[in-house]
Amino acid sequence: MITTIDKNTALVLIDLQKAVVQMPTAHPMSQVLENSAKLLAAFRKASLPVVIVNVNPVGSAAFATRKDSNPNAGSVPGPDFLNIVPEIKVEEGDIRITKKTWGAFYQTGLHDELQKRGITQIVLAGLATSIGVEATARSANEFAYNIAFASDAMSDRFADAHDSSLKYIFPRIGEVGTTDEIIAKLGLQV
């Protein structure tokens, strides 16, 4: 349950880029994008910062390590791999972060950008719940940010992974609510 949204809160949208949203997900991608766009519009209306994160694993040492499952092995990203989907209207002034690994804080300027703006809380949404969103949330918790999770503005390839993050991990490091609950806490009409 979302109890409050801090005065200095930023929206952080994870990996809503063309290549990532094409993967199969446990929940309809149209719903995830619609709710993410609603959050984006609300944060802009409230004049709060927006962070748009994409992933570019090419050249990352983390993606070259041995693992049982390596779905990206041998694949070469297409020309619009990094492009954010059109439903997420990127504007000048948005904070843009390109990450190489799962989390948006590791070896990026995200923490510095948030600190420059006096941000004390982040609202997280995007893909995938148990990967990019959770890795970012774990780091945000280590940096002592308050975290709100928009449960209906994220999904995962696997329903049980999504559910596990929402049920077991996120409530231990933040508050979980719907897009409409978060927007209401911003003091805006839903």
Side-chain angles (χ1 to χ4, degrees):
M1 177 173 97
I2 305 296
T3 59
T4 190
I5 297 293
D6 296 356
K7 181 180 72 154
N8 294 326
T9 298
L11 173 64
V12 181
L13 297 176
I14 304 291
D15 298 347
L16 295 177
Q17 63 198 77
K18 290 183 179 181
V20 177
V21 303
Q22 292 174 15
M23 293 190 290
T25 55
H27 306 90
M29 186 53 59
S30 59
Q31 175 191 0
V32 171
L33 293 176
E34 179 182 322
N35 287 328
S36 295
K38 277 175 67 173
L39 285 167
L40 185 63
F43 270 72
R44 290 212 170 105
K45 186 174 183 179
S47 299
L48 292 171
V50 171
V51 180
I52 307 290
V53 178
N54 63 355
V55 62
N56 182 3
V58 175
S60 168
F63 283 86
T65 60
R66 287 187 304 274
K67 40 190 101 44
D68 287 341
S69 172
N70 193 354
N72 297 320
S75 65
V76 177
D80 63 353
F81 176 81
L82 298 175
N83 295 345
I84 301 300
V85 294
E87 293 88 343
I88 304 303
K89 309 285 188 230
V90 179
E91 293 183 0
E92 188 174 330
D94 290 344
I95 302 165
R96 296 294 309 267
I97 299 293
T98 297
K99 61 187 177 85
K100 293 277 191 192
T101 61
W102 287 5
F105 283 96
Y106 182 72
Q107 294 186 341
T108 72
L110 179 56
H111 179 61
D112 292 336
E113 290 294 332
L114 296 175
Q115 290 298 286
K116 281 194 286 190
R117 292 162 176 82
I119 299 301
T120 59
Q121 181 174 20
I122 62 172
V123 171
L124 276 170
L127 300 171
T129 308
S130 69
I131 299 175
V133 176
E134 185 173 316
T136 300
R138 286 174 182 256
S139 292
N141 177 255
E142 291 169 349
F143 282 117
Y145 290 101
N146 292 315
I147 308 167
F149 297 94
S151 61
D152 57 356
M154 61 180 71
S155 190
D156 201 290
R157 291 183 66 181
F158 307 102
D160 57 344
H162 171 85
D163 294 342
S164 179
S165 293
L166 286 171
K167 183 176 179 181
Y168 299 112
I169 304 299
F170 295 169
R172 296 181 74 180
I173 60 178
E175 297 178 332
V176 180
T178 65
T179 295
D180 289 345
E181 289 169 343
I182 291 167
I183 292 171
K185 291 296 182 184
L186 285 171
L188 301 172
Q189 293 284 65
V190 179

